[in-house]
Amino acid sequence: MRILVVEDEPKTGNHLLQGLREAGFDAALARTGPEGLRLALAEDYDLVVLDVMLPAMDGWTVLRSLREHKDTPVLFLTARDDIPDRVRGLELGADDYLVKPFAFAELLARLRTLLRRGPVREEAVIRIADAEIDVLRHRVTRAGQRIDLTPKEFALLHLLARRRGEVLSRRQIAAQVWDMNFDSDTNVVDVAIRRLRAKLDDPWPVKLVHTVRGIGYTVDDKA
């Protein structure tokens, strides 16, 4: 398997290169955004590990340009740990996002998972029954009517919709939407679900948000 690492910090880049080669990968290293994009487009890599803060061209731009031509899986490896940055990376088409400092064992596990899965692009617009979720524009409609959601409500709906039919526990939802460890005394997930239902479901006969008692929540057009 061929992996391209785009990382400008010398120590981190060398560490990744050595570690990936010792793990059996055919790894290459680019130290600037333009060099990384050139290699990613010119060569056939199975996966790209991409930093965000790069010289000459940041990782966002590299990924955006890459996605115009290729579906190579991309894992962002960056010190930028804000939720908006993570959301931005995934919305641009990244397949995973890992924050520095990181454990190399975890990085390897994530890379192997992505390589098993192969290239999977997130839908730009998710449609469930008469609902449309425009991921890039953060716009939601039902039967053509605009529904105004807060950023957290949108993140919650987006999470459930892109894993349509899958029951997600409160712990999973809290970790991915609020980046927090779920506390059983905290009802933040339930409150957010209630607010989402009021906007997304209450005015329409077909309900999309469903409770699975004792487990969590799911979004689907089937009860």
Side-chain angles (χ1 to χ4, degrees):
M1 290 287 186
R2 303 186 70 205
I3 295 180
L4 173 64
V5 177
V6 188
E7 169 64 62
D8 66 314
E9 203 284 313
K11 186 176 179 180
T12 302
N14 294 336
H15 171 66
L16 287 169
L17 195 62
Q18 179 180 349
L20 290 172
R21 286 175 174 172
E22 289 177 353
F25 293 104
D26 178 4
L29 175 63
R31 297 194 184 277
T32 68
E35 182 188 5
L37 179 59
R38 181 184 64 77
L39 288 174
L41 292 176
E43 304 286 338
D44 288 326
Y45 291 100
D46 297 292
L47 195 147
V48 176
V49 178
L50 181 62
D51 192 9
V52 172
M53 294 176 285
L54 293 165
M57 179 187 293
D58 63 36
W60 311 128
T61 305
V62 172
L63 178 57
R64 190 179 296 111
S65 301
L66 177 63
R67 284 287 171 262
E68 293 176 0
H69 304 278
K70 286 190 170 184
D71 284 339
T72 310
V74 171
L75 179 145
F76 268 123
L77 183 62
T78 174
R80 299 179 67 133
D81 64 349
D82 291 340
I83 294 296
D85 286 328
R86 299 185 191 198
V87 172
R88 182 182 182 187
L90 295 173
E91 288 181 348
L92 283 173
D95 299 84
D96 201 354
Y97 196 106
L98 183 60
V99 175
K100 300 174 183 174
F102 61 96
F104 191 76
E106 181 183 1
L107 174 65
L108 274 183
R110 290 180 181 236
L111 295 182
R112 286 170 174 149
T113 297
L114 291 177
L115 290 168
R116 283 196 301 269
R117 194 172 73 190
V120 177
R121 296 276 69 76
E122 185 172 354
E123 298 173 82
V125 178
I126 302 173
R127 294 180 176 84
I128 302 175
D130 57 356
E132 286 194 359
I133 303 156
D134 188 324
V135 176
L136 299 181
R137 297 180 179 177
H138 279 224
R139 179 186 172 98
V140 177
T141 62
R142 279 206 71 172
Q145 295 185 36
R146 176 76 175 268
I147 300 172
D148 291 322
L149 300 180
T150 66
K152 285 298 183 190
E153 289 166 351
F154 184 89
L156 173 59
L157 175 60
H158 182 210
L159 170 65
L160 293 168
R162 64 187 166 88
R163 297 175 68 170
R164 172 182 179 174
E166 182 179 346
V167 181
L168 299 184
S169 68
R170 290 171 177 80
R171 184 183 299 276
Q172 288 176 297
I173 294 171
Q176 296 192 43
V177 177
W178 284 269
D179 193 30
M180 59 182 280
N181 292 322
F182 183 73
D183 182 339
S184 59
D185 294 330
T186 300
N187 65 347
V188 61
V189 174
D190 300 308
V191 170
I193 287 285
R194 190 159 58 244
R195 289 174 176 166
L196 179 61
R197 276 179 165 145
K199 296 179 180 180
L200 183 73
D201 275 351
D202 286 357
W204 284 272
V206 176
K207 309 306 180 186
L208 302 180
V209 181
H210 306 283
T211 302
V212 179
R213 189 179 299 277
I215 302 178
Y217 296 99
T218 184
V219 159
D220 207 341
D221 58 350
K222 300 174 183 176

